[in-house]
Amino acid sequence: PCLPTSKWAADIVVVAMYFVLVLAVGFFAMWKANRGTVSGYFLAGRSMNWMMVGASLFVSNIGSEHFIGLAGSGAASGFAVGAWEFNAILLLQLLGWVFIPVYIHSGVYTMPEYLSKRFGGKRLKFFFASLTLLLYIFTKLSVDLYSGALFIQESLGWNLYVSIILLITMTALLTITGGLVAVIYTDTLQAFLIISGALCLMAISLVKVGGLEGLCTKYMNASPNVTAIELENNITYSNSCHVHPKPDSFKILRGPLDKDLPWPAFLLGQTPASIWYWCADQVIVQRVLAARNIAHAKGSTLMAGVLKVLPMFIIVIPGMISRVLFADELACIGPEHCMQVCNSKAGCTNTAYPRLVMNVMPVGLRGLMMAVMLAALMSDLDSIFNSASTIFTLDIYKMVRHQASSKELMVVGRMFVVLIVAISIAWVPFVVEMQGGQMFLYIQEVSDYLTPPIAALFLLGVLWKRCNETGAFWGGIVGFLLGAVRLILAFVYREPDCDTTDDRPAFIKDVHFMYVAAVLFWVSGLVTVVVSLCTDPPSKEQIVIQTGVKCLEWFCGYNKNLEEPDSPFGDEDRNVTEMLKEPPKTKIILNLGLLLVCALGMFLFVYFSL
């Protein structure tokens, strides 16, 4: 229930001040930005420095679904979910050192456009653009809207749809009017808010459980009082549901048959599949392409990699603390009890973070955390709106309207944001029905059935000269069809309630989705290689666009002998040689930073797996 208005006055003032500040920063960015050109609107004129791009990368990834999903998985199963965060530290550097030089050299704005230039033809471009927009709706927008609504319901008790419409309207307003410049400026502000607010909550909650040592002891004993709950509700529940924490809760990489994080599946399936998100997803890549040159692009991935250390400590661990403090609610003991507590039969751990915020934070700071959650939601949404607009405008609309002017493209881009906002609002009722016990794992499962073929296609396109359009197309199609069938079967054979017998087929019940991702990635890659070798090689122009076959060359610096491609929008962009030029001292510093950040990522994996 909502608290009396007087107790919320300070919090509401903080939230209101946050909105005013974000709007002021957004309008300042709009005033400063060159929004009259395609480059200015979609890539911020390629003028952003490494700190702003790095901050935008971080908050574009850490949306409200992370606060809800990571904390919920932490409450349910401990450290395991942190593996995705540590994995990102390494994959971000793959983006900066291998993929971004290729994208800059090819002169592209979008990832489907890169496929078209690299392989030729239009079918790969259209296929990938359409699949990306579908992924945004089902794994990004849908989950963001549900998680944001869940927090609003837990904290303020506001009407679900009024709150969502208000947030989407404000986010879309900034995106439509300001383009990527407004997005990056507001993301930089929100990064500061998110990190500072989450650190405050982490410190306060750690004090309440006696620090990390207290958490290690109390988490393993964080089980609900089954007898008290049964007496209170006059119902006998099964003791097999959500009651006891797992014995290996304080390890991230676990046994081959573990239901949360089997280590062979993570290394062979999840890691290659994540290449799509970190190296070929428009939301992420578009930010790095907005950097003023390759040095700032690499610096931004280093900064974002360092920041990705934080979620384990500011989100996952607070989620585990929330289970300690609210075991009776979060570790509900059966479907009936879970329905009573949080209106979800699958479990209540998704409410871990908002419950901690509303019960632990003092007045004022609680308002800061409400602003943090809203910031995370808005930063994620504005990133998706901007990137979806870019893909639709430049990869689908321009394919139909070849002679469209820059003005027409920008108008269409803005109007598409309005359309995707309407679709998002209409999808909200389905989101509420689709949510499961661990939201973050739902995102990963759906993505792992659809994205591994794309990851294989991009990786081969960048690293292997002989890969051609026919091989890439059939490799992608075969992988997509296999993944789509598995996804449909996963929805047909839904996981039963935890207190009932699981009679699903063994290949659904016993095969972890990350093992499926491994099969899809390697099968797609094999089909691509075989078909490419059996058909004509790509043209010389397509091989020049690829330019990524020698990773060591990119590590040491740009080869000036490479030809410069024509800019896709005339004289708006600086020449490629200037964009890819690195001063020798800067190159050395960046490469040392690369070694240190990669060493940090590998150390964290080892340390949290022992």
Side-chain angles (χ1 to χ4, degrees):
C2 251
L3 296 176
T5 305
S6 60
K7 294 184 179 181
W8 285 88
D11 297 321
I12 293 174
V13 168
V14 171
V15 174
M17 290 174 61
Y18 156 75
F19 276 114
V20 171
L21 185 60
V22 167
L23 288 174
V25 170
F27 283 116
F28 170 76
M30 289 156 46
W31 169 74
K32 185 177 179 180
N34 175 17
R35 297 175 289 139
T37 65
V38 174
S39 176
Y41 183 76
F42 291 112
L43 290 184
R46 298 188 188 271
S47 62
M48 296 292 112
N49 64 46
W50 64 274
M51 291 185 66
M52 298 187 74
V53 176
S56 184
L57 274 175
F58 178 69
V59 297
S60 296
N61 169 245
I62 302 295
S64 56
E65 88 283 356
H66 266 66
F67 281 98
I68 300 297
L70 281 181
S73 291
S77 60
F79 281 168
V81 73
W84 275 273
E85 305 306 300
F86 297 154
N87 205 31
I89 298 173
L90 304 176
L91 293 179
L92 275 164
Q93 311 325 311
L94 183 67
L95 169 65
W97 264 258
V98 176
F99 283 85
I100 284 298
V102 175
Y103 297 151
I104 292 176
H105 182 261
S106 59
V108 299
Y109 282 47
T110 69
M111 297 302 93
E113 184 186 2
Y114 168 74
L115 291 181
S116 179
K117 283 197 168 190
R118 169 62 179 87
F119 295 110
K122 296 181 179 179
R123 56 182 183 177
L124 267 177
K125 180 179 181 179
F126 181 79
F127 166 71
F128 180 61
S130 303
L131 180 59
T132 300
L133 293 176
L134 287 175
L135 282 167
Y136 284 172
I137 292 173
F138 291 109
T139 66
K140 291 181 181 287
L141 288 174
S142 62
V143 177
D144 272 350
L145 292 177
Y146 171 71
S147 58
L150 184 64
F151 178 78
I152 292 170
Q153 283 187 319
E154 284 285 318
S155 58
L156 300 177
W158 291 356
N159 178 273
L160 176 69
Y161 297 101
V162 171
S163 304
I164 286 176
I165 291 172
L166 174 65
L167 290 172
I168 291 181
T169 301
M170 291 187 63
T171 307
L173 178 64
L174 287 176
T175 308
I176 291 171
T177 54
L180 188 59
V181 174
V183 170
I184 290 180
Y185 269 74
T186 54
D187 279 356
T188 304
L189 168 66
Q190 289 164 343
F192 174 77
L193 271 176
I194 288 171
I195 293 172
S196 58
L199 284 172
C200 286
L201 178 62
M202 179 193 72
I204 293 172
S205 56
L206 275 174
V207 169
K208 286 189 172 292
V209 295
L212 288 174
E213 290 186 5
L215 174 63
C216 290
T217 302
K218 295 177 181 178
Y219 180 82
M220 299 309 296
N221 297 316
S223 301
N225 188 334
V226 177
T227 303
I229 294 173
E230 289 178 348
L231 290 174
E232 178 184 350
N233 296 281
N234 196 28
I235 300 175
T236 300
Y237 297 110
S238 167
N239 290 349
S240 62
C241 297
H242 319 299
V243 176
H244 302 294
K246 298 181 179 180
D248 51 5
S249 292
F250 288 90
K251 293 182 179 181
I252 56 172
L253 297 182
R254 302 173 182 177
L257 300 179
D258 184 79
K259 291 187 176 181
D260 290 314
L261 202 83
W263 70 264
F266 186 84
L267 296 179
L268 297 175
Q270 184 59 56
T271 298
S274 295
I275 291 174
W276 165 76
Y277 180 81
W278 289 111
C279 301
D281 181 14
Q282 186 69 24
V283 170
I284 298 299
V285 175
Q286 188 170 346
R287 268 132 199 80
V288 187
L289 288 178
R292 59 185 59 164
N293 55 42
I294 186 63
H296 282 271
K298 290 180 177 180
S300 71
T301 61
L302 289 174
M303 176 182 174
V306 173
L307 291 177
K308 285 297 286 181
V309 175
L310 293 176
M312 171 66 91
F313 301 96
I314 64 176
I315 303 179
V316 178
I317 288 178
M320 298 170 70
I321 294 173
S322 186
R323 175 173 181 140
V324 172
L325 299 178
F326 313 107
D328 287 350
E329 292 84 7
L330 298 185
C332 53
I333 60 177
E336 297 89 350
H337 181 228
C338 293
M339 282 295 294
Q340 292 175 0
V341 173
C342 64
N343 201 33
S344 171
K345 290 184 177 181
C348 294
T349 53
N350 282 337
T351 63
Y353 204 85
R355 194 170 292 268
L356 191 66
V357 170
M358 305 318 297
N359 289 277
V360 170
M361 294 293 273
V363 175
L365 284 179
R366 185 172 56 200
L368 174 64
M369 285 308 302
M370 292 163 60
V372 164
M373 294 294 292
L374 297 177
L377 174 63
M378 290 183 64
S379 66
D380 222 18
L381 289 175
D382 65 21
S383 301
I384 297 166
F385 290 154
N386 187 267
S387 296
S389 167
T390 305
I391 288 178
F392 176 80
T393 304
L394 302 184
D395 295 315
I396 296 179
Y397 184 81
K398 199 169 188 296
M399 189 183 299
V400 179
R401 289 272 298 167
H402 300 285
Q403 304 302 321
S405 65
S406 292
K407 181 178 179 180
E408 181 180 344
L409 292 175
M410 288 182 292
V411 170
V412 169
R414 290 172 166 93
M415 294 305 297
F416 184 71
V417 174
V418 176
L419 175 63
I420 202 169
V421 166
I423 294 174
S424 303
I425 295 172
W427 187 250
V428 170
F430 299 95
V431 176
V432 177
E433 295 298 324
M434 287 167 58
Q435 69 89 17
Q438 294 191 52
M439 180 188 299
F440 192 80
L441 295 186
Y442 158 77
I443 300 171
Q444 302 306 324
E445 182 172 4
V446 174
S447 298
D448 280 7
Y449 293 146
L450 299 177
T451 61
I454 300 173
L457 188 155
F458 270 86
L459 201 60
L460 287 170
V462 167
L463 298 179
W464 189 40
K465 288 184 177 182
R466 186 61 176 76
C467 186
N468 63 17
E469 192 272 347
T470 305
F473 177 77
W474 287 110
I477 289 295
V478 169
F480 170 74
L481 292 176
L482 292 174
V485 169
R486 182 62 176 81
L487 178 61
I488 292 170
L489 290 175
F491 278 103
V492 171
Y493 294 101
R494 301 293 296 273
E495 185 175 354
D497 294 338
C498 60
D499 61 346
T500 59
T501 302
D502 191 346
D503 56 0
R504 294 176 297 166
F507 72 94
I508 297 289
K509 177 178 63 176
D510 299 330
V511 179
H512 197 280
F513 65 84
M514 284 189 276
Y515 282 115
V516 178
V519 172
L520 294 175
F521 178 83
W522 297 105
V523 167
S524 298
L526 180 62
V527 171
T528 301
V529 169
V530 171
V531 175
S532 293
L533 292 175
C534 294
T535 52
D536 294 334
S539 66
K540 292 182 178 179
E541 292 78 9
Q542 291 163 354
I543 294 175
V544 168
I545 287 297
Q546 176 229 5
T547 69
V549 67
K550 297 181 180 178
C551 296
L552 184 59
E553 180 180 302
W554 293 121
F555 183 81
C556 297
Y558 173 62
N559 182 351
K560 295 183 180 179
N561 294 324
L562 291 172
E563 298 178 14
E564 294 178 19
D566 295 329
S567 169
F569 292 95
D571 297 328
E572 287 185 1
D573 295 335
R574 290 164 286 156
N575 65 64
V576 171
T577 302
E578 181 184 350
M579 288 287 293
L580 289 173
K581 186 177 180 180
E582 291 179 87
K585 290 184 179 179
T586 302
K587 188 187 307 179
I588 293 173
I589 293 172
L590 288 170
N591 288 339
L592 287 175
L594 171 67
L595 294 175
L596 291 174
V597 170
C598 289
L600 174 64
M602 289 185 284
F603 167 77
L604 291 171
F605 261 115
V606 174
Y607 180 80
F608 282 97
S609 296
L610 294 177

